[in-house]
Amino acid sequence: MAVITVLGSGIMATALATPLTDNGHEVRLVGTHLDREIITSIQETGIHPNLGLKVPDGVTAHQLEDAPRAFEGVEFVMSGVNSFGVDWAGDQFASLLRPGMHVIALAKGMQADDDGNLTILPRALASRLPEELRSRVSVSAIAGPSIAGEVAVHRHTSVVFTGEDPEVLTRWRELFATEHYHVWTNTDFVGVEVCAATKNCYAFGAGFMQGLLDAMGEAAGDRYVNYNYGAALFGQASVEMIQFMELLGGKPTTPIGLPGIGDCFVTSMGGRNVRCGRLVGSGMTFSQARAQMPGVTLEGAAAIVVIGRAVVRLTERGIVPPERFPLLRHLYEVVGLDQPVAVPWDSFFGGDGSGQA
Amino acid sequence: MAVITVLGSGIMATALATPLTDNGHEVRLVGTHLDREIITSIQETGIHPNLGLKVPDGVTAHQLEDAPRAFEGVEFVMSGVNSFGVDWAGDQFASLLRPGMHVIALAKGMQADDDGNLTILPRALASRLPEELRSRVSVSAIAGPSIAGEVAVHRHTSVVFTGEDPEVLTRWRELFATEHYHVWTNTDFVGVEVCAATKNCYAFGAGFMQGLLDAMGEAAGDRYVNYNYGAALFGQASVEMIQFMELLGGKPTTPIGLPGIGDCFVTSMGGRNVRCGRLVGSGMTFSQARAQMPGVTLEGAAAIVVIGRAVVRLTERGIVPPERFPLLRHLYEVVGLDQPVAVPWDSFFGGDGSGQA
């Protein structure tokens, strides 16, 4: 049985303690500076307040200042922070990791430089490590459709572990896989992580279909909803995720299955990003919608700004043709430039008005 | 302005009168022998009883015995029957069509012979025509995500018109396309129609996720639902739709976008098939669930039996490897052989238990 130390005690990091402890492993949750109350709650009552559940036996909780002790002697480490915390986590790991340790990361998103060059988050995290350490640890990642609470209560969940080294991925898989938590491994690291990041963007748009009905009010009734609209956005998202593979070096087949299509489905079914997209779809600007959700983390909206701005920059540089990514470009206009929703239907599916699908 | 005569007055056939009449065309709805009350209702009150809406101006309704007059002199004909009525419609068309007419068909499904050879429905329909007529008419089809009622009330809808002749498809597109009804054309006739048929199968499985929660009862609560389960099925459906392209001769890219992913999404969001899948997911056999829905047409379940049996037969013949289509095979066990739901998770995504995605 192994010990897995986790930096960050958000709901997904904590939910993943369920399959790990089901397999008899010990899990040490180390809170970030933002997680103080969560850690105290778990220490005092066993309850994770945001997850609304008791953590399993075999889980211990530690404040950040106890991190060095929690990391001592362990081989397996999870980076449980979200996309906003990746650089911070990398800086912590720079002093906490030791040669031979294996890291698996949860955050979904990308980083971009001023030229629009995009980097997947596990590589951004690794880049914060001192060079002599970087080559002596592994950094892998978890992707695929998984709502945290469902993992915590043993709903069947099928995910993808991705990284460069198939043997390391197999070791991670052996730690996690249970009869409810199904794990596939995939060494298309860039492809899987780009799916994970971009599906968060497209799920924001999934909120528009309900928002439009909200704007229609009573007249819309509930007999005829707006799924045709959502289905076309979902279809276009699948096209653009494959375009991203070509642009960034993933395999064209990677979005098919769990990392792209499957995860885009689950993320479109609800959550904070979809709720914000719904407000925007009802007629608010993004700034107005954002103001209605104070203190709420919106990773999808943030990813739209990073990736959308990068795509615009790559088009200026002549690298991405302007007719590619019409849905992502529009999401960027809405979220990044505060413009109203006006879906460019006829630019979808390679469309130029001539209607060739 | 054109006249379009429609054989069959179900909800989708009638809903499509909305874009056609928006463009100023005349639509003649001809009921089948099963549609007598619908036609009488439209004739007397203008209301389509199942759609719950008044048909647009420019639509006339005709009983079957008036079909010859309704077909007289028209160039464009729609086959509005569902998959169960295709052979019957083909037999009617054998005497009603004239050389030079263009047919567009709505039914989604496939037919199979005893060897497991599958045929797309527009070709099954055309095969009922006398040979000398068959080469002098065109048969195309409409696919892609569209809930009928949403089309009728001007929700944005994006579809694919498919057939062999791009010029004919362009003519159909010109008749139908409006600012709300967006039409792409695609000459991958087999690919698009196979997507249309198979997504109906996979949408049946989408009901399982809610059914499982139903079976758990109060304990499941509504905080943690079962979307991870549904997302994995959806992801596997996307993999299998692409496997079907290889098997039956469609392009591997055709399921990406509207005909496969988009339509699978919308069909999974609700309807009769999903409701039946939900009953089965809650623990009933298919026969028991079927008995709870007397008189209800279940095209998805029927497609599972036709296509699932064909895949089994093609495996017996050595044409399809046994590890392909694990989800469709299980749907066939459930629907065709009345077995309980037991999703073979580890066989998904090329899985052999080794976990390679």
Side-chain angles (χ1 to χ4, degrees), chain B residues 82-84 108 196-209 211 264 266-281 286 289-290 293 296-305 331 334-335:
Chain B
N82 70 18
S83 56
F84 304 108
K108 298 182 174 187
T198 54
K199 63 86 193 164
N200 272 340
C201 304
Y202 295 114
F204 185 91
F208 295 170
M209 61 177 165
C264 198
V266 84
T267 312
S268 298
M269 289 297 102
R272 297 168 290 201
N273 268 297
V274 176
R275 281 206 301 283
C276 188
R278 179 173 174 172
L279 293 175
V280 171
F286 175 72
R290 190 76 197 78
M293 304 173 73
V296 171
T297 304
L298 292 173
E299 286 191 278
I304 288 169
V305 173
L331 291 169
V334 169
V335 172

Side-chain angles (χ1 to χ4, degrees), chain A residues 244-280:
Chain A
F244 270 116
M245 297 300 104
E246 193 185 318
L247 176 64
L248 298 172
K251 290 187 194 170
T253 50
T254 291
I256 315 302
L258 295 172
I261 308 297
D263 204 356
C264 198
F265 175 81
V266 85
T267 312
S268 298
M269 289 296 102
R272 297 168 290 201
N273 268 296
V274 176
R275 280 207 301 283
C276 188
R278 179 173 173 173
L279 292 175
V280 171

Side-chain angles (χ1 to χ4, degrees), chain B residues 177-193:
Chain B
T178 71
E179 61 172 318
H180 295 106
Y181 192 72
H182 311 277
V183 178
W184 283 261
T185 62
N186 189 329
T187 53
D188 182 11
F189 203 14
V190 168
V192 171
E193 285 295 293

Side-chain angles (χ1 to χ4, degrees), chain B residues 110-349:
Chain B
M110 282 195 275
Q111 292 186 354
D113 67 16
D114 289 344
D115 282 336
N117 299 308
L118 289 155
T119 305
I120 60 173
L121 291 185
R123 290 199 174 141
L125 183 138
S127 74
R128 315 290 289 197
L129 304 180
E131 211 171 314
E132 69 282 7
L133 179 61
R134 206 183 306 153
S135 59
R136 297 169 72 189
V137 298
S138 73
V139 180
S140 309
I142 299 182
S146 47
I147 293 172
E150 295 188 23
V151 174
V153 299
H154 296 104
R155 301 279 190 266
H156 280 288
T157 299
S158 297
V159 297
V160 176
F161 287 5
T162 187
E164 276 151 10
D165 184 339
E167 286 174 32
V168 170
L169 296 178
T170 298
R171 292 193 67 190
W172 277 114
R173 179 179 185 271
E174 286 165 359
L175 291 171
F176 272 98
T178 71
E179 61 172 318
H180 295 106
Y181 192 72
H182 311 277
V183 178
W184 283 261
T185 62
N186 189 329
T187 53
D188 182 11
F189 203 14
V190 168
V192 171
E193 285 295 293
V194 170
C195 286
T198 54
K199 63 86 193 164
N200 272 340
C201 304
Y202 295 114
F204 185 91
F208 295 170
M209 61 177 165
Q210 187 57 46
L212 207 66
L213 292 180
D214 296 340
M216 292 174 167
E218 292 293 314
D222 56 6
R223 178 153 189 188
Y224 295 125
V225 291
N226 206 20
Y227 288 129
N228 293 355
Y229 180 111
L233 295 190
F234 196 98
Q236 177 62 18
S238 72
V239 170
E240 295 190 12
M241 284 192 281
I242 291 174
Q243 290 180 354
F244 270 115
M245 297 299 104
E246 194 185 319
L247 176 64
L248 298 172
K251 290 187 193 169
T253 52
T254 292
I256 315 303
L258 294 173
I261 308 299
D263 205 358
C264 198
F265 175 81
V266 84
T267 312
S268 298
M269 289 297 102
R272 297 168 290 201
N273 268 297
V274 176
R275 281 206 301 283
C276 188
R278 179 173 174 172
L279 293 175
V280 171
S282 77
M284 290 184 193
T285 63
F286 175 72
S287 299
Q288 291 166 335
R290 190 76 197 78
Q292 303 259 319
M293 304 173 73
V296 171
T297 304
L298 292 173
E299 286 191 278
I304 288 169
V305 173
V306 170
I307 303 170
R309 188 183 285 150
V311 166
V312 170
R313 185 74 189 98
L314 292 170
T315 301
E316 287 166 1
R317 292 175 56 205
I319 293 169
V320 175
E323 68 275 12
R324 291 213 144 190
F325 307 107
L327 176 52
L328 186 83
R329 284 175 204 273
H330 184 53
L331 291 169
Y332 176 61
E333 289 165 352
V334 169
V335 172
L337 307 177
D338 240 16
Q339 294 178 13
V341 174
V343 178
W345 302 104
D346 295 336
S347 66
F348 287 179
F349 311 113

Side-chain angles (χ1 to χ4, degrees), chain A residues 67-139:
Chain A
R69 218 160 32 157
F71 274 70
E72 212 173 275
V74 304
E75 187 180 357
F76 297 100
V77 169
M78 187 151 68
S79 174
V81 301
N82 70 18
S83 56
F84 303 108
V86 167
D87 289 344
W88 177 87
D91 293 342
Q92 302 296 310
F93 283 147
S95 60
L96 290 167
L97 296 184
R98 298 287 171 268
M101 283 186 178
H102 299 291
V103 179
I104 199 157
L106 305 186
K108 297 182 174 186
M110 283 196 273
Q111 293 185 354
D113 68 15
D114 290 343
D115 283 336
N117 298 307
L118 290 155
T119 305
I120 60 173
L121 291 184
R123 289 199 175 141
L125 184 140
S127 74
R128 314 290 292 198
L129 304 179
E131 209 170 315
E132 70 280 8
L133 178 62
R134 208 183 306 154
S135 59
R136 298 169 73 190
V137 297
S138 73
V139 180

Side-chain angles (χ1 to χ4, degrees), chain A residues 134 136 141 146 161 237 308 353-354:
Chain A
R134 208 183 306 154
R136 298 169 73 190
S146 47
F161 286 7
S354 75

